[in-house]
Amino acid sequence: MAADAVLHGFAAEARSLAAAMAAAPAAAFGTSSPCPPWTVGELFAHVANAAGRVCGMLAGPEPGPGELVTAVGYYRADRRFSAATNADRIATAQRGAAGSGPDDLRAEFDRCWRAGLADAEAPPAGRRVRTRHGDLMLLTEFMRTRVLELAVHGLDLAAGLGRDPWLTDPAAAVVEELLLGGAGAAAAFRAQAGWDRAGLIARATGRSPLTAAEQEAVERAGVRWLALG
């Protein structure tokens, strides 16, 4: 997928998520999220951190040549989803949310995603980055993972707030390509299954349980199962 489409998806989903969280009542930030043990506010802090992670990666010199990892390859089951790494991921978000009210969390998310977008727009095509897990990736491929983080955790936040998802079409197109290898394949499968975009992504990322028939259908469609923790 072209870099401009990926960045458009990132910006569209970030704006949609920000608007939804701006409208959320303050009390909702302290309620349980679908990603235990996080509260809604702690999950929001995690999403802010994920949205701005590219800034630190681009701050240093570009890494040298090597074997490139794709966005699909980034979501593989290894030490990045070990008990220790997950514990650190949880604690980092909890520290980020500690002592922060809803307005603070909203402001931090706004700062992080806007900085991430600005930094990702600046480098020339082909810029490489090194992730915190040691992956060498093209910047565009890494930004595909950021769109997925915004989209799937947007579904989690919507569930935590008890409201309908705010998933945007530009972000959904990026995620569907990750899951099914192309927008055309995803559209055809959704039409056959009778799911909307949020329904497909929720099922393919374990957010909605699958019936046995649905499990068989997604496997036949060639859905790429991603390790997501």
Side-chain angles (χ1 to χ4, degrees):
M1 178 173 281
D4 57 350
V6 173
L7 295 181
H8 178 49
F10 178 86
E13 194 64 15
R15 290 190 179 98
S16 185
L17 193 154
M21 298 306 292
F29 284 69
T31 60
S32 298
S33 82
C35 300
W38 283 329
T39 63
V40 166
E42 289 166 348
L43 175 57
F44 191 29
H46 170 71
V47 178
N49 187 47
R53 190 172 295 282
V54 70
C55 298
M57 295 163 63
L58 290 169
E62 181 174 7
E67 184 176 354
L68 292 169
V69 174
T70 66
V72 173
Y74 176 86
Y75 290 105
R76 64 187 184 275
D78 62 8
R79 67 185 184 280
R80 73 195 64 209
F81 295 118
S82 67
T85 303
N86 281 332
D88 179 69
R89 188 178 287 117
I90 289 167
T92 297
Q94 290 174 330
R95 287 194 300 269
S100 298
D103 287 343
D104 300 317
L105 293 172
R106 292 173 182 128
E108 179 63 5
F109 176 72
D110 192 67
R111 183 193 69 78
C112 286
W113 83 259
R114 291 183 185 279
L117 179 63
D119 282 6
E121 288 176 328
R127 174 65 155 89
R128 298 181 303 274
V129 295
R130 182 77 65 181
T131 74
R132 66 191 178 114
H133 304 297
D135 303 305
L136 179 66
M137 301 181 71
L138 291 175
L139 173 60
T140 298
E141 286 295 293
F142 181 72
M143 291 306 295
R144 291 174 76 196
T145 74
R146 300 307 88 187
V147 178
L148 186 144
E149 294 288 329
L150 290 174
V152 298
H153 282 316
L155 297 180
D156 296 329
L157 286 167
L161 295 173
R163 57 157 291 176
D164 292 336
W166 49 75
L167 180 69
T168 63
D169 285 342
V174 176
V175 178
E176 285 181 341
E177 186 176 78
L178 273 176
L179 296 172
L180 282 153
F189 178 61
R190 281 191 283 105
Q192 181 183 23
W195 299 338
D196 61 12
R197 285 180 134 166
L200 169 60
I201 292 170
R203 288 171 173 86
T205 59
R207 277 143 179 89
S208 292
L210 291 166
T211 66
E214 289 174 337
Q215 177 78 22
E216 183 179 350
V218 297
E219 289 177 356
R220 283 200 310 269
V223 171
R224 294 161 170 166
W225 297 107
L226 309 177
L228 297 171

